[in-house]
Amino acid sequence: MAELPPADSFPASRRKNDAGAAFVLESKGEWWHAGFHLTTAIVGPPILTLPFAFRGLGWILGFLCLTAMAAVTFYSYYLLSKVLEHCEKHGRRHIRFRELAADLLGSGWMLYFVVFIQAAVNTGVGVAAILLGGECMELMYWRLYPKGELKLYHFIAMVSVGMIMISQIPTFHSLRHINFASLLLSLAYTFFIASASILAGTSDKVPPRDYHLESTLSERVFSAFTSISIFAAIFGNGILPEIQATLAPPVAGKMVKGLIMCYIVIFITFYSSAASGYWVFGNRSNSNLLKNLLPKNESPLAPTWLLFLAVLFILLQLLAIGMVYAQVAYEIIERRSGDAQQGVFSRRNLIPRLILRTLYMAMCGFLAAMLPFFGDINSVVGAIGFIPLDFVLPMVLYNITHKPPVSSWVTYWVNVFIIVAFSGAGIMGCFASVRNLVLDAKKFKLFSSDVV
């Protein structure tokens, strides 16, 4: 075991006036509540991007990468949970990712690196959730009012208002009922989307399928690493310490049960969405599968009522996803603006919370309206945020705290291999994603209604 600082190096008095810990990261949950939070953080509408990601890999590599990502992320989250439990046994229960990093890696540049990438992840997901929510509303609007005058940014504004309203729920733990509903919604709309794709694929409405990869080797390489970045973004969460912080102590073993629940849902939803969508549309798969099933100015490729139900459920779940990822920002805000000595609904805490959370969600909504790049946002966030947080740091932290012997390839060398492999994949994915972003920049205008 690693030598850790003594328990009193992080005394409870440090959190006495910490409103972020007292309110936002309130610790009262059970293991199934952690399962709800994890499922909402990982299983969401970005799974509609999976057929698009398969375009850069094809059938065999696509499913191999999907399965590898599932195995590595489960292993990674398991190790990170063990690191948190290890620290708790030594008298320090870390409730923030940056707090854990500062303890084990020092308070130098690594701390700022973790803070930066976690902020990028949470803001990026918040922007993407609002953007996709606006796009879902726009898809329904096109069907009801083909000549309507409302644009994408109008719907983004509507979704932002909804996010602002539910953002006033004060604590992460308070979202447990919403996140249980989110779990059910993800299963329901995945069933609807897969059914719609199968119905479309067995009809004569879709063009001939094409599963060929890019014509040149360089294009294939860039497309493959972009797809890997998208997988990383879809599987990532980057907030496991904050989710574990919602559990009532002691937390030993609780996160493992929550992870198992989450990955059962992942198996059902990810594979069915990827297989059905790519089977039908192949290389024509859009960054949002709904746009394939509901093409603009054309008849739907599946029953409209089925697609509308899927869109409605997706829209409702996006509200929960936006709230889960906003919790880190709220905790940072309220750590400084709140007063833990007064009630969570006292005027002293209520007014700053109302103002600051509203401003944060308004900023995310503005960015979503200004930069409608859903597929590319997904890949960039995956490369610069989720890969370091979910595929590299957990292995580093586990090796530091548990110090597995070098001779034990099952632990030490597997961890080193994952660190090296995904660090390289993250760097290449970052270049590929930024390259796509630059290329796609020619296809849009600010506040456009066309999502790339």
Side-chain angles (χ1 to χ4, degrees):
M1 294 294 185
E3 290 298 326
L4 298 175
D8 60 2
S9 63
F10 286 85
S13 59
R14 279 185 54 176
R15 291 183 183 147
K16 184 177 180 181
N17 296 311
D18 186 346
F23 298 154
V24 181
L25 300 180
E26 181 183 44
S27 302
K28 293 183 178 179
E30 300 294 340
W31 71 263
W32 54 89
H33 298 145
F36 302 159
H37 299 325
L38 283 166
T39 303
T40 300
I42 300 175
V43 184
I47 64 175
L48 301 180
T49 311
L50 284 171
F52 175 79
F54 268 52
R55 286 173 47 174
L57 297 167
W59 278 111
I60 297 175
L61 279 178
F63 277 113
L64 281 175
C65 285
L66 185 65
T67 304
M69 286 289 185
V72 171
T73 51
F74 183 91
Y75 175 68
S76 174
Y77 298 146
Y78 171 78
L79 291 189
L80 187 56
S81 176
K82 290 300 179 184
V83 169
L84 290 163
E85 291 179 11
H86 178 74
C87 291
E88 182 176 357
K89 288 178 183 177
H90 285 76
R92 299 176 325 284
R93 187 184 186 202
H94 295 305
I95 63 174
R96 305 172 176 98
F97 212 136
R98 64 184 185 278
E99 192 177 82
L100 178 65
D103 181 10
L104 301 179
L105 302 174
S107 57
W109 68 271
M110 274 303 299
L111 171 61
Y112 295 101
F113 175 72
V114 170
V115 171
F116 171 77
I117 59 177
Q118 195 178 35
V121 163
N122 286 274
T123 304
V125 172
V127 170
I130 293 175
L131 175 56
L132 185 55
E135 191 177 14
C136 288
M137 293 185 70
E138 187 185 38
L139 285 170
M140 292 191 290
Y141 179 75
W142 280 342
R143 292 299 154 190
L144 296 174
Y145 304 99
K147 297 181 179 180
E149 297 181 356
L150 294 181
K151 304 296 182 183
L152 176 62
Y153 57 84
H154 293 121
F155 299 107
I156 286 174
M158 295 177 195
V159 175
S160 298
V161 170
M163 291 280 196
I164 288 169
M165 292 175 65
I166 64 172
S167 72
Q168 303 310 315
I169 297 175
T171 71
F172 202 160
H173 179 62
S174 299
L175 297 175
R176 62 194 183 281
H177 304 301
I178 292 176
N179 288 341
F180 173 61
S182 168
L183 185 155
L184 298 179
L185 288 169
S186 67
L187 291 171
Y189 69 67
T190 299
F191 174 76
F192 292 151
I193 292 294
S195 299
S197 297
I198 293 170
L199 289 173
T202 54
S203 71
D204 56 359
K205 295 180 181 180
V206 294
R209 297 172 181 82
D210 182 7
Y211 304 114
H212 289 95
L213 301 179
E214 301 286 350
S215 56
T216 66
L217 179 60
S218 61
E219 291 291 334
R220 290 184 184 183
V221 170
F222 277 118
S223 296
F225 278 105
T226 299
S227 298
I228 291 171
S229 297
I230 292 174
F231 283 143
I234 294 173
F235 273 103
N237 75 65
I239 55 173
L240 187 137
E242 286 79 7
I243 291 175
Q244 188 155 325
T246 66
L247 290 170
V251 300
K254 293 180 180 178
M255 280 300 290
V256 176
K257 295 178 181 178
L259 279 169
I260 292 172
M261 173 196 288
C262 175
Y263 273 77
I264 290 172
V265 178
I266 284 175
F267 178 79
I268 295 170
T269 56
F270 281 42
Y271 283 82
S272 58
S273 297
S276 60
Y278 189 63
W279 171 68
V280 178
F281 300 106
N283 288 347
R284 294 182 176 84
S285 299
N286 198 281
S287 62
N288 181 350
L289 184 56
L290 284 171
K291 294 185 74 173
N292 287 114
L293 294 167
L294 283 167
K296 192 174 182 179
N297 301 322
E298 297 180 24
S299 59
L301 300 183
T304 303
W305 66 268
L306 185 66
L307 296 173
F308 269 37
L309 276 177
V311 171
L312 177 61
F313 287 0
I314 288 169
L315 180 60
L316 291 174
Q317 199 208 17
L318 283 167
L319 298 176
I321 292 172
M323 288 306 99
V324 164
Y325 278 94
Q327 296 305 306
V328 174
Y330 297 161
E331 179 271 315
I332 293 172
I333 291 170
E334 295 186 20
R335 187 181 185 187
R336 297 184 179 277
S337 66
D339 184 353
Q341 303 304 307
Q342 300 191 43
V344 65
F345 293 109
S346 66
R347 181 180 298 180
R348 166 63 183 81
N349 290 316
L350 183 62
I351 293 176
R353 180 166 64 245
L354 177 63
I355 295 172
L356 295 174
R357 292 191 180 192
T358 297
L359 288 174
Y360 176 79
M361 294 311 308
M363 178 198 70
C364 290
F366 179 78
L367 291 175
M370 186 172 67
L371 302 171
F373 269 21
F374 179 66
D376 290 341
I377 285 175
N378 236 10
S379 60
V380 172
V381 169
I384 69 172
F386 284 118
I387 286 180
L389 285 178
D390 297 326
F391 297 87
V392 177
L393 278 176
M395 285 67 181
V396 172
L397 298 177
Y398 184 85
N399 282 359
I400 290 173
T401 56
H402 290 72
K403 288 189 175 179
V406 176
S407 59
S408 177
W409 66 270
V410 177
T411 51
Y412 182 85
W413 287 111
V414 167
N415 290 352
V416 170
F417 173 77
I418 292 173
I419 291 167
V420 173
F422 280 94
S423 293
I427 293 170
M428 288 298 298
C430 185
F431 280 117
S433 301
V434 171
R435 174 180 175 272
N436 274 359
L437 199 61
V438 172
L439 293 175
D440 288 340
K442 302 174 182 178
K443 303 177 184 178
F444 87 111
K445 298 178 180 179
L446 294 179
F447 302 100
S448 170
S449 282
D450 295 321
V451 178
V452 177

